[in-house]
Amino acid sequence: MDAKALFFFALLSFSAVSVRLAFAENEEDPGLVMNFYKDTCPQAEDIVKEQVRLLYKRHKNTAFSWLRNIFHDCAVQSCDASLLLDSTRRTLSEKETDRSFGLRNFRYLDEIKEAVERECPGVVSCADILVLSARDGIVSLGGPHIPLKTGRRDGRKSRADVIEDYLPDHNESISVVLDRFASMGIDTPGVVALLGAHSVGRTHCVKLVHRLYPEVDPALNPDHVEHMLYKCPDSIPDPKAVQYVRNDRGTPMVLDNNYYRNILDNKGLLIVDHQLANDKRTKPYVKKMAKSQDYFFKEFSRAITILSENNPLTGTKGEIRKQCTVANKHH
């Protein structure tokens, strides 16, 4: 065999090995796909859906929690259930940071995990359970069914030290909010739609008294101020007290476009709500969503999908936690 033929043969062999390696890598890590557990745990998504339904019957506010969880977990670097990890001697839990104030019902997420583990031990990640519970919680609240991919794996560390670099605060400028979401690939109408989650649930007085004391924010609708003052009578409320205002007094348990009509009427509780309705970049979308629930649902579904796919751990990265509150022990 002459030199040219040897070179050509070596090139072919190298190419074949490269293709095999690439194929093996793809087989090992398909990334996120629809119905990831169809062979390994075919009942997984149905179990999550049924658990969400049963929990909602017992505790209506669990659905708000599932919706908040996907934002608080997936927006901070990765959709990897780092939010669910408890504090250790060395690291603070994300759940215990100021940005996570008001998050609750984590024990019920553990119940969903236990139900899935009984069917398929060590197969379904907490990250996927967190995302699927959000999907089904949205439906419980009257929102759209959003087909979401699965195949996430769980992270092993809390991201509490960087949480403020990723999660926008309700008092930050709308520019900061838009920039934070843009870094995840969520555009302006997507941000406006995601904030429509403020259509349900409640806001603790701690988060809004600065708009009432020492002076009432003149931007607030005077008719709404009376109700807010009644619900938040103290200028320095006790964070542990049950003092809150419903985000939407009209349909507080329904995810709908009433939120947009409220903020256009200056009834938004948070600074970010007020800015959303008045900033020239966001106001056109607020008005459009106030008129069309279908448009709101379309943009909301698109934004939730992007959020749920933010930098996940897949393939052999991360792990499948046995318990959602603690990383597995490796010896």
Side-chain angles (χ1 to χ4, degrees):
M1 190 178 290
D2 62 24
K4 280 186 180 178
L6 273 171
F7 175 75
F8 185 66
F9 180 74
L11 193 64
L12 275 177
S13 301
F14 177 76
S15 299
V17 169
S18 299
V19 167
R20 280 200 299 273
L21 284 171
F23 181 74
E25 193 174 300
N26 286 339
E27 271 211 319
E28 186 179 283
D29 183 5
L32 297 183
V33 295
M34 288 294 178
N35 205 8
F36 178 83
Y37 300 104
K38 67 180 185 297
D39 297 323
T40 55
C41 187
Q43 299 301 313
E45 296 198 22
D46 287 336
I47 292 169
V48 173
K49 187 183 295 183
E50 179 63 7
Q51 289 295 311
V52 167
R53 188 186 69 81
L54 292 172
L55 284 164
Y56 183 71
K57 283 180 73 175
R58 284 163 47 200
H59 310 283
K60 293 285 191 287
N61 63 21
T62 52
F64 310 147
S65 298
W66 310 149
L67 182 50
R68 284 194 73 188
N69 285 349
I70 192 171
F71 168 63
H72 281 261
D73 185 60
C74 294
V76 184
Q77 287 188 324
S78 172
C79 229
D80 67 349
S82 61
L83 172 70
L84 305 180
L85 290 169
D86 285 343
S87 291
T88 66
R89 280 175 297 177
R90 294 181 179 179
T91 58
L92 178 70
S93 168
E94 291 173 40
K95 293 180 283 191
E96 294 180 34
T97 64
D98 288 343
R99 283 287 201 275
S100 299
F101 179 80
L103 289 181
R104 53 199 174 135
N105 291 321
F106 292 110
R107 66 188 183 280
Y108 297 129
L109 202 73
D110 294 337
E111 286 187 20
I112 300 175
K113 171 68 169 173
E114 287 164 12
V116 174
E117 285 291 300
R118 285 193 292 272
E119 179 75 17
C120 314
V123 174
V124 182
S125 69
C126 297
D128 275 340
I129 289 171
L130 183 150
V131 166
L132 292 172
S133 63
R135 179 195 70 182
D136 298 330
I138 288 165
V139 173
S140 298
L141 294 166
H145 172 75
I146 308 169
L148 295 177
K149 295 176 181 177
T150 42
R152 297 164 194 79
R153 288 169 65 85
D154 300 321
R156 293 184 44 78
K157 64 176 185 177
S158 163
R159 301 180 190 276
D161 57 334
V162 297
I163 201 167
E164 295 198 8
D165 297 331
Y166 291 88
L167 275 185
D169 183 72
H170 60 90
N171 283 323
E172 285 182 306
S173 72
I174 197 68
S175 293
V176 170
V177 174
L178 291 172
D179 286 347
R180 295 276 172 90
F181 281 107
S183 68
M184 290 178 263
I186 299 174
D187 59 13
T188 300
V191 174
V192 174
L194 274 184
L195 285 171
H198 290 175
S199 160
V200 293
R202 60 195 191 182
T203 298
H204 198 285
C205 293
V206 164
K207 295 293 184 182
L208 54 85
V209 286
H210 62 285
R211 301 194 73 192
L212 300 174
Y213 304 97
E215 294 178 353
V216 172
D217 184 341
L220 284 167
N221 185 315
D223 294 338
H224 203 48
V225 168
E226 186 179 349
H227 175 71
M228 291 170 70
L229 287 168
Y230 171 72
K231 288 291 190 176
C232 301
D234 305 312
S235 60
I236 307 177
D238 178 356
K240 294 179 181 177
V242 184
Q243 289 187 317
Y244 60 84
V245 181
R246 290 282 183 193
N247 289 340
D248 175 4
R249 290 174 68 191
T251 54
M253 302 296 292
V254 181
L255 182 68
D256 59 19
N257 64 337
N258 207 37
Y259 164 75
Y260 301 103
R261 291 191 284 271
N262 285 338
I263 63 175
L264 287 170
D265 196 24
N266 295 316
K267 292 179 180 176
L269 301 180
L270 302 171
I271 294 290
V272 71
D273 299 327
H274 174 71
Q275 291 185 79
L276 200 70
N278 289 277
D279 189 276
K280 64 182 181 182
R281 292 164 292 182
T282 53
K283 187 172 183 176
Y285 300 110
V286 170
K287 293 171 82 170
K288 193 170 179 180
M289 289 179 199
K291 289 178 181 175
S292 171
Q293 180 144 293
D294 287 344
Y295 176 65
F296 163 47
F297 279 178
K298 185 188 80 161
E299 290 298 330
F300 183 77
S301 299
R302 187 173 63 86
I304 286 287
T305 300
I306 296 169
L307 183 63
S308 75
E309 296 177 7
N310 184 36
N311 195 29
L313 302 177
T314 59
T316 56
K317 295 173 185 171
E319 64 184 19
I320 305 296
R321 281 183 221 147
K322 293 181 176 70
Q323 294 176 270
C324 291
T325 55
V326 59
N328 296 340
K329 289 181 180 176
H330 294 272
H331 299 289

